[in-house]
Amino acid sequence: MDLTAAQLQAHSQWAVAYHSDADGFGTINIFMNHFPEGSFRLYSIDSPKRDFTEAQLARLFQDIERGCQVIYLDLTPSNIEQLTKITNKTNLYYIDHHQISPAYSQLFARVYAHNPNIFAPERAHAYAAGMQVYQLFGEQQ
């Protein structure tokens, strides 16, 4: 499902899973600046499978119960079991520029996504995740 800024702006509590590299940190910064009154819990995800540790996942489910929305920034997930558990509990928002495995196509029908590999694969190389957030909120380059 296509992700819009309006869908994001309807919320103020966020559980943010991100890839801990320069693009991930920049993406978090740009995202959080659009929610000056927002509440955030950050989850640095840098495991080989790009998944939550058991402790992180338990905390994430607590965050969901208290009303946090889950967003992945610059993080291509690869743990279908975790993603299924998350999407069964809440909406999942996803902003990334990496290629998505075809095995996830059915799951991504249930995810609010902004990813050039989905909407503009011929231009995916031109988009960092931070640039997507910047453009999603209507900023000009």
Side-chain angles (χ1 to χ4, degrees):
M1 297 183 285
D2 288 340
L3 176 61
T4 66
Q7 291 164 326
L8 297 173
Q9 291 169 324
H11 307 288
S12 62
Q13 294 184 74
W14 294 98
V16 180
Y18 67 96
H19 183 212
S20 54
D21 65 359
D23 190 22
F25 294 130
T27 304
I28 291 168
N29 184 25
I30 296 166
F31 183 80
M32 290 174 69
N33 280 326
H34 286 281
F35 299 93
E37 305 298 320
S39 170
F40 303 91
R41 182 179 319 259
L42 303 179
Y43 292 90
S44 176
I45 309 293
D46 200 23
S47 67
K49 287 186 156 187
R50 300 287 191 254
D51 57 355
F52 291 91
T53 65
E54 288 186 31
Q56 286 176 320
L57 193 60
R59 191 175 326 145
L60 178 71
F61 289 140
Q62 291 172 351
D63 288 343
I64 291 169
E65 287 180 24
R66 68 177 184 87
C68 284
Q69 300 299 306
V70 178
I71 188 163
Y72 280 41
L73 298 176
D74 189 40
L75 179 67
T76 298
S78 65
N79 187 322
I80 192 78
E81 183 179 324
Q82 283 188 0
L83 287 170
T84 301
K85 287 178 182 179
I86 293 167
T87 58
N88 284 340
K89 292 187 176 287
T90 190
N91 290 328
L92 175 62
Y93 301 93
Y94 170 79
I95 301 173
D96 193 20
H97 60 107
H98 297 102
Q99 185 67 40
I100 297 168
S101 168
Y104 292 90
S105 60
Q106 183 177 12
L107 178 65
F108 269 86
R110 297 171 36 198
V111 173
Y112 294 94
H114 193 276
N115 184 306
N117 281 297
I118 296 171
F119 68 83
E122 69 283 355
R123 297 193 56 227
H125 66 282
Y127 287 91
M131 179 61 76
Q132 289 180 75
V133 173
Y134 192 70
Q135 292 174 344
L136 187 63
F137 283 101
E139 309 292 351
Q140 297 303 312
Q141 197 171 12

